[in-house]
Amino acid sequence: MCDLEDDDVPQLSFHALAALQEFYAEQKQHRDPGGDDTYSIGRIEENWQLSQFWYSQETALKLAKEAAAAAGEGGRIACVSTPSVYQKLRELHKDLDVCVFEYDRRFAVYGEEFVFYDYNNPLDLPENIAAHSFDIVIVDPPYLSEECLRKTSETVKYLARDKILLCTGAVMEEEAMRLLGVKMCRFTPEHTRNVANEFRCYTNYDSGLDRDV
């Protein structure tokens, strides 16, 4: 499911398996000595050339809990360009059915739950990813542009059964409503590093992100 070049499920090498084990072992040990929210995803650091900006621990936890609650028991979650939420979901619920859709092939360490994804080809997905097969899709388009949101929205509408949780810039509010029918929530996501643009969360359902903020 992970390697679209040969359509085979990737077989993890010894080194990949070791990295995966280390990833889970270190999940709770990535705070710096000062105790702030800076952390990496396992040993995978942000690649700004790929427009990667990891969420803070607090935000990742908040979004993971929201996604799990929205999916419900036995639900299925798609994390599109949101690997830090995927990581937190796996930390909280090891039995959840979750897939992480990512362009960065370093995330193939997640094995069968990794799906290579390029927003420029929004519907170029493995055959075993059925339409409308995820109870909730949480998505953070890598670029703040109408084109990126529009193409990513095609993917989201294909994957989602009904619920959508979008994280993107506040400047995309009108486009987000037009393309996905989502409305801005009270909760404001934060990142491990300062991001110039104001980020917000949007949903198309009554979410916990509008309560207890």
Side-chain angles (χ1 to χ4, degrees):
M1 177 166 92
C2 312
D3 189 348
L4 300 187
E5 293 180 356
D6 57 13
D7 291 328
D8 290 330
V9 173
Q11 301 298 313
L12 294 182
S13 67
F14 170 81
H15 294 294
L17 286 170
L20 184 61
Q21 292 173 345
E22 186 176 21
F23 161 78
Y24 284 121
E26 295 182 354
Q27 279 180 1
K28 297 183 179 179
Q29 300 177 12
H30 280 284
R31 296 178 184 269
D32 70 12
D36 68 15
D37 286 337
T38 301
Y39 76 114
S40 59
I41 301 178
R43 288 193 175 276
I44 300 178
E45 300 291 342
E46 295 170 338
N47 182 343
W48 289 1
Q49 292 182 333
L50 296 178
S51 191
Q52 292 177 341
F53 302 93
W54 303 154
Y55 297 129
S56 68
Q57 286 275 12
E58 180 183 28
T59 291
L61 178 61
K62 182 81 171 181
L63 296 178
K65 286 184 175 180
E66 173 60 31
E73 186 175 356
R76 197 175 188 211
I77 303 171
C79 295
V80 180
S81 303
T82 53
S84 51
V85 177
Y86 168 88
Q87 178 243 346
K88 191 59 67 174
L89 281 165
R90 272 285 157 259
E91 180 183 322
L92 295 172
H93 306 281
K94 295 200 170 40
D95 58 342
L96 272 179
D97 189 350
V98 189
C99 287
V100 57
F101 294 72
E102 259 294 336
Y103 182 79
D104 188 343
R105 291 185 183 274
R106 291 180 298 171
F107 292 102
V109 70
Y110 296 143
E112 295 181 21
E113 294 181 348
F114 167 76
V115 180
F116 176 75
Y117 171 68
D118 181 352
Y119 81 86
N120 288 299
N121 302 295
L123 298 181
D124 187 6
L125 300 169
E127 292 182 357
N128 59 343
I129 301 294
H132 313 306
S133 57
F134 291 88
D135 296 282
I136 184 170
V137 176
I138 177 167
V139 55
D140 188 339
Y143 300 100
L144 289 180
S145 70
E146 188 278 338
E147 178 193 24
C148 183
L149 181 58
R150 173 168 44 82
K151 290 181 176 179
T152 304
S153 293
E154 291 184 49
T155 309
V156 172
K157 287 186 283 190
Y158 176 83
L159 296 174
R161 184 167 292 135
D162 51 16
K163 296 177 181 176
I164 299 169
L165 198 173
L166 168 70
C167 296
T168 190
V171 297
M172 304 303 294
E173 182 177 9
E174 291 186 9
E175 294 297 329
M177 178 61 185
R178 180 177 65 84
L179 292 167
L180 291 171
V182 293
K183 295 183 179 180
M184 186 181 288
C185 301
R186 291 171 57 197
F187 176 71
T188 302
E190 297 180 349
H191 298 80
T192 60
R193 304 176 191 271
N194 290 330
V195 178
N197 297 286
E198 180 188 357
F199 262 68
R200 299 302 298 264
C201 292
Y202 307 80
T203 65
N204 66 342
Y205 64 96
D206 181 20
S207 75
L209 299 178
D210 273 326
R211 301 187 296 271
D212 302 323
V213 176

